[in-house]
Amino acid sequence: MSDSTAHPLDDPAASPFDIAAQAATDIARLSGVDQHDIALTLGSGWGRAAELIGETVATIPATDVTGFRPPALEGHVGSLRSIRTARDRHVLVIGARTHFYEGHGVRHVVHSVRTAAATGARTMVLTNGAGGIRPTWSPGQPVLIGDHINLTGASPLEGATFIDLTDLYSLRLRDLARRVDPTLDEGVYCQFRGPQYETPAEVRMAKTIGGHIVGMSTALEAIAARQAHMEVLGFSLITNMAAGIQSTPLSHQEVIDAGRAAEPVISDLLARVIGEL
């Protein structure tokens, strides 16, 4: 879909769920798979996992699907992939994430999650590259998301829609992940608006209010997944220590480099977890 044409998600009178249903119809037509069981959003550093999950049935340019935009960030692949696992489960791998800082609005940010739910997926696995606050962590380390703090000032819920987030990040799925890798630590993810990295003072604030991980994605997507009655599992790859924790300046190149270095290990971990779902 070209940016020069009107985007369906920008029409306030249009239902984002109807648009997601059309996107799911597109995916079924283009992939030949009527229903998916699991959805996986691949953040920075996690891309190789798609090669290890199972047999690729179809790869679809995201812009061929209603409502999707091309990715604005290096490290994201801009495609949707349908994969069949050894257990004959169908996984929709989302490599086209819209970030809140791109300025398109929350409907665009969570469209991939709502589309995944419309394809039939009942499990949503969200991954990201993020900054770590705990000094015991190091770049290249994967951690589970146990909870989140939404600092964007926004929500994907529209109107008087009240959703319980008490157990948003499934304890059952976190326990399953720890059975695959007992060394996995977990923490609370703080989503900032971005695109600037957090200041040392903002990182101290996040730590004070209970955060351990800082990033620019995932929380809004997780809320939308819960609204769609999906079970959520979240992973962060610690690509750098957050501002004020590490002494060197932060850069996106650092995030990319850390992701590439960790990719073989974390992709294998993620593929093994997906294999158990």
Side-chain angles (χ1 to χ4, degrees):
M1 174 173 297
S2 170
D3 284 339
S4 64
T5 61
H7 197 289
L9 287 168
D10 292 333
D11 179 358
S15 163
F17 302 100
D18 289 346
I19 297 167
Q22 179 57 57
T25 299
D26 293 342
I27 291 169
R29 172 175 53 82
L30 294 168
S31 69
V33 177
D34 291 335
Q35 179 172 322
H36 287 82
D37 306 295
I38 301 162
L40 167 62
T41 295
L42 293 176
S44 298
W46 297 91
R48 192 179 296 183
E51 307 295 338
L52 304 176
I53 292 170
E55 176 192 358
T56 295
V57 176
T59 300
I60 305 165
T63 49
D64 287 354
V65 178
T66 299
F68 279 81
R69 291 181 174 275
L73 185 64
E74 183 182 350
H76 294 266
V77 297
S79 65
L80 305 174
R81 188 184 301 199
S82 179
I83 296 175
R84 182 168 52 243
T85 72
R87 294 187 175 186
D88 203 30
R89 305 266 280 166
H90 291 281
V91 181
L92 179 66
V93 178
I94 300 163
R97 175 180 252 160
T98 297
H99 289 79
F100 190 52
Y101 58 70
E102 294 175 42
H104 301 302
V106 184
R107 283 185 170 194
H108 292 266
V109 172
V110 303
H111 178 61
S112 61
V113 172
R114 288 173 171 160
T115 296
T119 70
R122 303 270 39 94
T123 302
M124 186 74 235
V125 182
L126 297 167
T127 69
N128 61 60
I133 296 177
R134 281 185 175 152
T136 55
W137 291 346
S138 58
Q141 179 174 346
V143 296
L144 290 165
I145 300 175
D147 203 344
H148 80 229
I149 300 171
N150 176 11
L151 297 175
T152 67
S155 171
L157 308 180
E158 300 178 16
T161 304
F162 305 107
I163 302 294
D164 179 28
L165 303 180
T166 303
D167 57 347
L168 176 56
Y169 296 90
S170 166
L171 177 59
R172 183 186 77 85
L173 295 182
R174 281 149 50 205
D175 285 345
L176 183 153
R178 278 187 285 260
R179 288 197 297 273
V180 172
D181 182 356
T183 70
L184 279 170
D185 203 354
E186 74 173 48
V188 175
Y189 181 90
C190 296
Q191 181 176 352
F192 285 79
R193 293 175 68 98
Q196 70 281 350
Y197 290 109
E198 304 76 25
T199 68
E202 288 169 337
V203 171
R204 291 195 298 273
M205 176 196 71
K207 182 178 180 181
T208 298
I209 63 177
H212 309 107
I213 312 161
V214 292
M216 305 174 195
S217 67
T218 302
L220 296 172
E221 296 163 326
I223 295 168
R226 168 50 59 88
Q227 183 185 22
H229 307 291
M230 302 172 87
E231 192 173 15
V232 179
L233 177 64
F235 280 100
S236 287
L237 169 66
I238 303 303
T239 55
N240 56 274
M241 302 312 293
I245 307 297
Q246 72 176 42
S247 58
T248 55
L250 305 181
S251 72
H252 184 55
Q253 188 60 49
E254 177 183 31
V255 172
I256 294 171
D257 291 344
R260 285 173 178 163
E263 194 171 43
V265 172
I266 63 173
S267 295
D268 177 69
L269 165 65
L270 186 55
R272 286 187 288 139
V273 171
I274 295 291
E276 295 296 320
L277 296 178

